[in-house]
Amino acid sequence: MNLEIDGPTATIYLNRPDKKNAMNPQMHRDMNEALDAIEADRGVKVVVVTGNGDSFSAGMDLEECFLRPFEDPMEFYRTNEVALNWFKRLKAFPAVTVAKVNGFSFGGGVLLAGICDLAVASETALFGLSEINFGIFPAGGATWAAAHNLPRKQALYYILTGATFTGREAEAYGLVNKAVPLDELDAATDRIVRKLVNKNPVTLSLAKHVYEHNRATDLPAAIDYDQAKLWELSRLTGNEWVNVALKQFEKRSYQPGLSTYDRVEAKS
Ligand code: ACO
């Protein structure tokens, strides 16, 4: 079992601890199935991705995904397509995704931490874009993840040298939101999850979508997009922000600068 759903929170476990959670074809199929199951459960607002055992993920399984299928081009293509599919799905997932990086995170592991919306790591987690060490560049989205999560000089340094960096360094670069001692990793992740699950799921989903869209546009286009999406949000949420959140503010029942409105009063 690689998936647990507990109300608004789903946790996906990379589950090959004896192989440092290297992602083999079976794991890629399991991940697609886990995402299917989460999408089918409409109550999930937050997806935590973590590793069983002492690793987050040692990346793609170098033997099962690359070495063995390489001689048969179609087998190689199909094997890796399953992986690339769930990477793309996870990046665009409607629920908020949080990587909980508990140990080794190489290649595809860096990619996973990078494509999740948020990430928490143990201070001693070890990251690396090790591809250069076996003669390729980080492919399958890993260079994208480095370019979008690390400052340029650091991204190029790690891409070109294959050197490792710790969870504490990952926090300084911005690849993870927070690095904490390993024994505090669960609690630190839970604190973030708790801040998310009391928000409107449609708003969470649109907030991350608008962020990604607006990174790639100029300000006038971003403003137009914001306004259109705000009307979409209003319709999809039954105007919850005005009818519930701002009505509660009018009664001074909370301070939006410091906390969230009470969603129990909301219908959606
Ligand atoms: N693919 C296949 N098997 C792997 C992988 C991998 N990516 N990573 C670890 N394993 C296997 C090991 O071969 C070993 O298998 P065995 O028990 O059958 O010998 C087992 O997992 C345990 O690994 P060890 O190397 O014994 O563990 P150790 O703690 O000493 O080292 C480390 C861990 C540093 C992660 C090391 O295994 C390693 O360098 N792995 C490869 C990391 C890597 O380069 N990943 C690919 C990134 S590129 C990409 O994702 C596209």
Side-chain angles (χ1 to χ4, degrees):
M1 182 62 162
N2 72 337
L3 173 65
E4 270 172 25
I5 297 183
D6 181 10
T9 310
T11 306
I12 303 178
Y13 297 91
L14 302 158
N15 190 23
R16 284 181 86 209
D18 54 327
K19 293 284 185 183
K20 306 293 173 192
N21 297 323
M23 297 181 266
N24 68 349
Q26 182 61 53
M27 190 189 284
H28 293 307
R29 287 191 290 273
D30 291 346
M31 294 306 283
N32 272 298
E33 278 178 22
L35 295 182
D36 289 342
I38 296 168
E39 275 187 334
D41 181 317
R42 294 178 165 233
V44 172
K45 298 183 191 178
V46 182
V47 180
V48 177
V49 181
T50 193
N52 274 337
D54 64 1
S55 284
F56 180 61
S57 175
M60 295 292 271
D61 189 303
L62 295 174
E63 292 167 348
E64 291 190 46
C65 292
F66 298 159
L67 186 63
R68 285 181 208 150
F70 191 74
E71 289 309 320
D72 180 340
M74 277 320 289
E75 196 195 338
F76 184 83
Y77 174 83
R78 284 197 205 100
T79 302
N80 287 287
E81 191 64 6
V82 181
L84 303 176
N85 185 41
W86 78 263
F87 296 161
K88 287 184 258 184
R89 284 183 73 187
L90 190 68
K91 169 67 175 55
F93 210 66
V96 180
T97 54
V98 183
K100 180 162 76 170
V101 183
N102 51 311
F104 290 126
S105 182
F106 286 101
V110 173
L111 165 71
L112 273 188
I115 62 179
C116 282
D117 301 316
L118 305 172
V120 190
S122 79
E123 290 172 343
T124 50
L126 204 63
F127 293 83
L129 292 158
S130 57
E131 287 88 340
I132 201 87
N133 291 337
F134 60 94
I136 65 169
F137 58 86
T143 292
W144 184 95
H148 282 77
N149 289 276
L150 299 173
R152 178 169 179 270
K153 289 288 190 293
Q154 301 297 358
L156 282 167
Y157 175 74
Y158 291 110
I159 287 169
L160 296 173
T161 65
T164 57
F165 55 100
T166 62
R168 207 173 290 142
E169 289 169 297
E171 180 192 53
Y173 302 148
L175 172 61
V176 304
N177 296 88
K178 201 156 184 53
V180 296
L182 181 58
D183 61 1
E184 294 170 24
L185 184 60
D186 288 344
T189 309
D190 288 347
R191 273 196 297 278
I192 291 179
V193 169
R194 277 201 304 276
K195 286 185 209 285
L196 295 165
V197 293
N198 62 4
K199 307 287 196 286
N200 184 303
V202 174
T203 308
L204 286 174
S205 201
L206 280 169
K208 54 183 266 191
H209 176 84
V210 167
Y211 168 80
E212 298 294 353
H213 180 274
N214 287 357
R215 287 188 78 194
T217 62
D218 59 21
L219 182 63
I223 288 174
D224 284 350
Y225 196 75
D226 288 350
Q227 298 316 96
K229 284 288 171 187
L230 194 54
W231 285 113
E232 181 181 323
L233 176 148
S234 300
R235 172 102 169 116
L236 290 174
T237 60
N239 302 318
E240 184 176 303
W241 68 289
V242 174
N243 291 343
V244 180
L246 294 188
K247 287 280 182 341
Q248 289 177 13
F249 175 65
E250 196 178 29
K251 290 185 208 144
R252 300 293 183 265
S253 68
Y254 74 113
Q255 291 175 295
L258 302 177
S259 62
T260 302
Y261 65 99
D262 181 3
R263 290 210 64 237
V264 174
E265 288 184 24
K267 287 196 188 94
S268 63

